[in-house]
């Protein structure tokens, strides 16, 4: 008899389903003797054995159920039937020959998730929020660039850049980029400005075409219209809100499908619910106000209602209504208490670290939060003072001054004729001064020289915050290092560095009083011949510093401390015992010279080494010129930090 092997259910297309029937394994030789129509080829495993034929024990076709069909959108569709997928709104059909077709929502429509295709709405981007074509809202929480629309076939993208304003944790749509993969990029910027491939263009009320994009400007903002392979869309950007209306194919991007990054958070703030009241209520049937109310409340729960922020959301809704409805929303600004609606900033151009906002009811450029934090944390109006050798500068941040209501043109240094200069691009204000200008105060202590100045108001009275910004430059007191000169190399020039002071010291010998015939190794100096020695420094501020020749002496050995010494100058004055020595200039600037008659020591060396000790003197501390008398001399300069220089003579 026939032994049952297993009860089976076959769910493959074109296989008969026979519930509760016994099957047996037969070989190919028995195929022709089987009941016609009861055998189908299968690649099936029964009891871990692969079989080629399944044959019913008896002809029971009345128990067979044909489920042959098509698999569409993840579902099975029976032959000769049509059904609608509620999740995708696609109409799926399977013909009698098992050919499947799927028809989605048409271009310009979207699926509401309940089996109905709805016409696409307007995509609105205002503040940090995106309300997409389906009316869904998504909040952008970072300062990045996002694709609002992207066409895979052409490579075109409409990108929105989000930046912070008063707070670092809330970003706002700041600019748009129409990015073409094979053509010029177009940017829509703040202040109704437009650039094409980085170059600004001048717009008027007339339509101008760039890379196939029609662009125009009016008091509402910048309009851009474009057509791509049979579809078209329009963009309006006023500096705070982007609105996009599309007609044609679907695109990818935030405007096409915006899902919330985090749970929507509703605020008890009723100021945004005015969208459900007159005159906005006349448009509620055409444009759902709830996404706009949610966007408004969520933003205002994290950001203060400044710069007309609440009114931006109300105006965005009013503009959407003008696209979709015939409702009359005239004078909505009065009903909503929005004066002039959104801050347009049409005639105000701010720098990259600024944004246009309201300051005491007046439109101005305010600092972006990230940029301003470095100054506000240290309670300053700008960077540190930049100190050079004998000059300095200080740079103040224009938007920080503007936020405090301070007009930079009313500021000056202690000498009020010294004014700041504003950079037209960055709006940074720079004040420059030197040690002897703009009222700079020079003071000293034991080891430092201090330049002090201040930025203050030029007016005698003010009704705003008083501005007084003091700044200083501190330098190490100058000193001359020990250097050695030899007449064989005359003239010798050497660079001397001492702290922040850099200058050049030169020592020369001359054969004439006008110091035009310089002595060098080719000249022979006879005994008792008059010689002029010049000491000169360059690179120092002569208005601030003088060089004083404190003393000069001769030795018969190279060391300045040799036992045998002969003084030519002592305490800044000529040796009275040697009538040939004349100090002709000393202490009134950076050039000194004196003369003496050549001599030699009474030994066999034949060498004379001349050594001079120099002192730098700050003129502000007193008279630097030594006062020489017959028995004594006095000079008001500090004798500390002296230095030596030497010149060797070979006879």
């Amino acid at each position: 008899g026939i032994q049952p092997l297993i009860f089976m259910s076959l769910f493959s297309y074109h296989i008969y389903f026979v519930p509760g029937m016994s099957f047996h394994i037969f070989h190919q030789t028995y195929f022709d003797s089987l009941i016609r129509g009861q055998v189908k080829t299968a690649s099936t495993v029964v009891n871990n054995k692969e079989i080629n034929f399944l044959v019913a024990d008896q002809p029971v076709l009345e128990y067979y159920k044909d489920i042959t069909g098509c698999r569409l959108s993840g579902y099975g569709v029976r032959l000769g039937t049509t059904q609608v997928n509620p999740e995708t709104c696609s109409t799926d059909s399977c013909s009698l020959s098992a050919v499947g077709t799927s028809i989605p929502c048409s271009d310009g429509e979207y699926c509401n998730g309940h089996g109905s295709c709805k016409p696409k709405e307007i995509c609105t981007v205002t503040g940090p929020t995106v309300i997409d074509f389906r009316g869904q809202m998504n909040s952008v929480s970072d300062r990045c660039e996002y694709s609002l629309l992207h066409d895979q076939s052409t490579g075109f993208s409409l990108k929105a850049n989000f930046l912070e304003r008063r707070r670092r944790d809330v970003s706002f749509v700041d600019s748009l980029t129409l990015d073409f993969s094979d053509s010029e990029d177009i940017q829509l910027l703040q202040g109704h400005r437009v650039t094409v491939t980085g170059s600004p263009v001048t717009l008027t009320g007339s339509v101008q075409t760039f890379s196939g994009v029609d662009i125009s400007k009016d008091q509402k903002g910048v309009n851009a219209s474009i057509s791509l392979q049979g579809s078209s869309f329009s963009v309006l950007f006023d500096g705070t809100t982007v609105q996009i209306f599309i007609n044609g194919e679907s695109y990818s991007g935030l405007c096409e499908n915006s899902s919330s990054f985090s749970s929507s958070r509703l605020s008890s703030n009723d100021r945004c619910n005015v969208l459900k009241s007159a005159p906005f209520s006349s448009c509620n049937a055409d444009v759902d106000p709830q996404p706009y109310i949610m966007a408004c409340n969520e933003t205002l729960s994290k950001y203060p209602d400044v710069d007309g922020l609440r009114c931006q959301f109300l105006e965005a809704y009013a503009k959407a209504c003008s696209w979709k409805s015939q409702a009359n929303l005239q004078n909505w600004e009065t009903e909503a208490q929005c004066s002039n609606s959104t801050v347009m900033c049409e005639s105000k151009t701010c720098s990259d670290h600024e944004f246009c906002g309201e300051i005491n009811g007046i439109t101005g450029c305010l600092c972006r939060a990230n940029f301003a934090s470095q100054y506000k944390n240290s309670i300053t109006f700008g960077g540190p003072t930049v100190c050079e050798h004998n000059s300095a500068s200080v740079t103040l941040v224009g938007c920080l001054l503007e936020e405090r209501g301070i007009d930079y043109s009313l500021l000056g240094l202690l000498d009020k004729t010294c004014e700041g200069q504003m950079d037209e691009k960055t709006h940074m204000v720079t004040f420059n001064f030197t040690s002897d200008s703009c009222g700079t105060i020079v003071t000293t202590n034991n080891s430092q020289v201090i330049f002090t100045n201040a930025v203050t108001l030029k007016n005698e009275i003010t009704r705003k915050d008083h501005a007084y910004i003091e700044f200083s430059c501190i330098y190490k007191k100058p000193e001359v290092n020990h250097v050695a000169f030899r007449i064989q190399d005359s003239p010798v020039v050497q660079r001397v560095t001492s702290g922040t002071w850099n200058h050049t010291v030169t020592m020369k010998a001359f054969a004439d009083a006008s110091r035009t015939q310089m002595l060098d190794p080719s000249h022979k100096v006879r005994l008792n011949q008059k010689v002029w020695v010049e000491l000169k420094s360059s690179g120092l501020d002569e208005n601030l510093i003088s060089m004083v020749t404190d003393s000069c002496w001769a030795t018969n050995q190279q060391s300045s401390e040799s036992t045998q010494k002969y003084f030519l100058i002592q305490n800044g004055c000529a040796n009275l015992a040697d009538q040939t020595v004349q100090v002709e200039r000393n202490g009134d600037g950076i050039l000194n010279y004196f003369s003496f008659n050549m001599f030699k020591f009474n030994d066999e060396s034949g060498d004379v080494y001349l050594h001079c000790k120099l002192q730098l003197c700050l003129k502000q501390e007193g008279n630097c010129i030594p006062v020489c008398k017959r028995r004594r001399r006095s000079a008001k300069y500090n004798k500390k930090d002296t230095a030596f220089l030497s010149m060797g003579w070979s006879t």
Side-chain angles (χ1 to χ4, degrees):
I2 298 176
Q3 300 295 325
L5 299 178
I6 192 170
F7 290 100
M8 302 179 59
S9 294
L10 304 180
F11 291 97
S12 298
Y13 296 128
H14 301 291
I15 300 297
Y16 289 121
F17 170 63
V18 186
M21 289 188 60
S22 301
F23 289 88
H24 206 66
I25 301 176
F26 288 85
H27 298 286
Q28 180 69 34
T29 53
Y30 296 100
F31 179 76
D32 295 334
S33 63
L34 298 177
I35 299 175
R36 186 176 182 182
Q38 294 183 356
V39 179
K40 291 294 180 181
T41 303
S43 177
T44 306
V45 175
V46 179
N47 290 346
N48 296 323
K49 295 181 179 180
E50 183 174 341
I51 61 176
N52 294 320
F53 303 97
L54 303 176
V55 183
D57 286 350
Q58 54 184 335
V60 285
L61 292 177
E62 63 269 23
Y63 291 103
Y64 283 76
K65 182 179 181 182
D66 185 0
I67 63 167
T68 302
C70 309
R71 181 171 293 275
L72 299 168
S73 304
Y75 295 89
V77 181
R78 297 173 62 184
L79 293 174
T81 62
T82 298
Q83 67 183 40
V84 176
N85 187 330
E87 294 183 5
T88 64
C89 297
S90 61
T91 302
D92 302 327
S93 302
C94 185
S95 67
L96 294 175
S97 58
V99 176
T101 58
S102 180
I103 302 175
C105 292
S106 64
D107 291 333
E109 293 183 325
Y110 74 96
C111 180
N112 66 355
H114 303 289
S116 298
C117 293
K118 299 292 184 181
K120 288 184 177 179
E121 303 292 335
I122 298 170
C123 176
T124 298
V125 184
T126 186
T129 56
V130 179
I131 302 172
D132 66 12
F133 294 130
R134 296 167 175 80
Q136 297 175 344
M137 187 199 71
N138 170 35
S139 292
V140 174
S141 58
D142 52 23
R143 293 173 294 277
C144 297
E145 189 175 58
Y146 287 88
S147 175
L148 300 180
L149 293 174
H150 178 69
D151 183 13
Q152 187 68 34
S153 61
T154 63
F156 168 80
S157 290
L158 175 62
K159 300 177 181 178
N161 189 40
F162 292 81
L163 293 173
E164 85 291 343
R165 291 189 179 177
R166 293 179 186 258
R167 286 175 43 161
R168 285 178 287 175
D169 56 345
V170 182
S171 58
F172 288 72
V173 60
D174 191 74
S175 63
L176 292 179
T177 301
L178 284 73
D179 185 3
F180 299 88
S181 60
D182 57 353
S183 185
E184 301 170 328
D185 291 347
I186 299 175
Q187 280 194 306
L188 310 185
L189 306 173
Q190 295 287 311
H192 296 185
R193 292 176 295 141
V194 176
T195 64
V196 178
T197 319
S199 300
V201 297
T202 301
L203 296 179
T204 62
S206 302
V207 175
Q208 301 180 57
T209 302
F210 304 93
S211 300
V213 181
D214 294 332
I215 301 178
S216 62
K217 182 181 76 170
D218 56 26
Q219 69 275 13
K220 294 181 180 180
V222 176
N223 294 273
S225 300
I226 185 173
S227 297
L228 292 173
Q229 294 186 349
S231 64
S232 62
F233 65 87
S234 299
V235 179
L236 173 63
F237 181 53
D238 63 7
T240 60
T241 300
V242 182
Q243 292 195 301
I244 304 168
F245 183 80
I246 193 168
N247 180 19
E249 296 183 2
S250 297
Y251 298 89
S252 60
L254 291 180
C255 279
E256 183 66 31
N257 182 15
S258 175
S259 59
S260 180
F261 291 142
S262 60
S263 299
S264 298
R265 181 171 48 141
L266 296 177
S267 170
S268 59
N269 192 336
D270 294 331
R271 292 176 295 173
C272 302
N273 291 332
V274 68
L275 291 177
K276 293 183 178 180
S277 304
F280 298 103
S281 56
S282 62
C283 179
N284 288 174
D286 298 310
V287 180
D288 185 3
Q290 192 58 38
Y292 293 83
I293 295 173
M294 293 170 57
C296 178
N297 284 332
E298 180 173 337
T299 303
L300 291 180
S301 68
K302 298 183 292 184
Y303 195 90
D305 186 9
V306 292
D307 305 326
L309 179 57
R310 180 184 71 99
C311 295
Q312 291 181 23
F313 290 93
L314 305 187
E315 185 177 24
Y317 183 79
K319 290 178 179 178
C321 288
S322 68
W323 285 75
K324 294 287 295 181
S325 172
Q326 299 298 320
N328 185 3
L329 297 184
Q330 291 184 354
N331 301 321
W332 68 265
E333 295 95 336
T334 303
E335 296 293 331
Q337 298 180 349
C338 294
S339 60
N340 293 327
S341 182
T342 306
V343 177
M344 299 301 291
C345 302
E346 182 175 0
S347 60
K348 197 76 173 179
T349 300
C350 300
S351 65
D352 291 341
H353 60 262
E354 299 171 333
F355 70 94
C356 188
E358 287 184 339
I359 309 170
N360 299 323
I362 302 174
T363 299
C365 292
L366 308 183
C367 295
R368 297 192 187 276
N370 273 359
F371 173 81
S373 62
Q374 58 184 310
Y375 304 106
K376 292 183 176 180
N377 292 340
S378 57
I379 318 178
T380 62
F381 281 98
T385 308
V386 178
C387 299
E388 301 293 342
H389 181 58
N390 65 333
S391 64
S393 64
V394 63
T395 299
L396 306 181
V397 180
C399 55
L400 291 178
L401 295 174
E402 194 162 359
E403 287 179 6
R404 294 288 295 273
I406 300 174
D407 186 347
Y408 85 95
S409 65
L410 301 179
L411 298 177
L413 296 177
L414 293 179
D415 180 348
K416 300 186 185 302
T417 61
C418 296
E419 301 176 341
Q421 301 298 318
M422 174 175 280
D423 186 293
E424 293 298 325
K425 184 176 181 180
T426 64
H427 296 169
M428 307 294 273
V429 183
T430 301
F431 294 83
N432 296 288
F433 66 96
T434 61
S435 60
D436 60 346
S437 67
C438 298
T440 303
I441 300 172
V442 181
T443 58
T444 62
N445 56 27
N446 291 333
S447 61
Q448 295 175 326
V449 180
I450 304 171
F451 297 169
T452 303
N453 212 314
V455 177
T456 185
L457 288 172
K458 294 186 289 185
N459 295 343
E460 294 183 359
I461 66 170
T462 180
R463 290 183 173 87
K464 298 182 179 180
D465 289 343
H466 180 61
Y468 188 87
I469 307 168
E470 187 176 82
F471 49 92
S472 301
C473 284
I474 301 176
Y475 301 92
K476 184 179 179 182
K477 209 167 185 178
E479 59 185 42
V480 180
N481 292 343
H482 180 277
V483 289
F485 298 86
R486 293 183 179 275
I487 194 64
Q488 289 84 353
D489 299 325
S490 179
V492 176
V493 180
Q494 182 162 336
R495 187 73 173 169
V496 179
T497 300
S498 178
T500 58
W501 301 85
N502 299 295
H503 60 105
T504 302
V505 178
T506 306
M507 189 175 189
K508 299 178 181 179
F510 296 89
D512 62 322
S514 59
R515 303 187 310 284
T516 59
Q517 301 176 23
M518 187 177 64
L519 296 174
D520 59 33
S522 65
H523 289 82
K524 293 183 179 180
V525 180
R526 303 182 306 273
L527 283 175
N528 206 33
Q529 178 180 339
K530 187 173 273 302
V531 175
W532 284 263
V533 177
E534 181 186 273
L535 299 167
K536 183 178 180 180
S537 176
S538 59
L540 295 176
D541 186 354
E542 190 173 3
N543 296 317
L544 180 66
I545 297 173
S546 289
M547 183 174 67
V548 179
T549 305
D550 180 81
S551 57
C552 289
W553 66 98
T555 63
N556 62 347
Q557 296 180 11
Q558 187 172 3
S559 173
S560 62
E561 300 299 324
S562 298
T563 303
Q564 192 171 11
K565 295 180 180 179
Y566 183 79
F567 278 90
L568 300 174
I569 299 174
Q570 284 183 295
N571 295 325
C573 299
N575 181 3
L576 295 179
D578 189 338
Q579 297 298 317
T580 70
V581 179
Q582 294 182 5
V583 179
E584 302 182 34
R585 182 175 179 180
N586 190 16
D588 65 343
I590 57 175
L591 172 65
N592 299 337
Y593 59 93
F594 65 95
S595 63
F596 66 98
N597 288 8
M598 194 62 197
F599 61 90
K600 73 180 185 69
F601 288 97
N602 294 322
D603 59 17
E604 297 179 357
S605 65
D607 295 330
V608 176
Y609 292 90
L610 180 64
H611 311 276
C612 289
K613 181 169 68 173
L614 302 179
Q615 176 70 46
L616 296 187
C617 174
L618 294 171
K619 291 183 177 182
Q620 285 80 356
E621 294 184 337
N623 183 20
C624 295
I625 301 176
V627 179
C628 298
K629 298 182 180 179
R630 185 168 183 82
R631 293 185 178 271
R632 58 182 299 180
R633 85 96 167 104
S634 63
K636 297 179 181 179
Y637 66 87
N638 194 339
K639 297 182 64 176
K640 296 181 180 180
D641 301 327
T642 57
F644 302 90
L645 52 88
S646 302
M647 176 180 288
W649 301 71
S650 297
T651 59

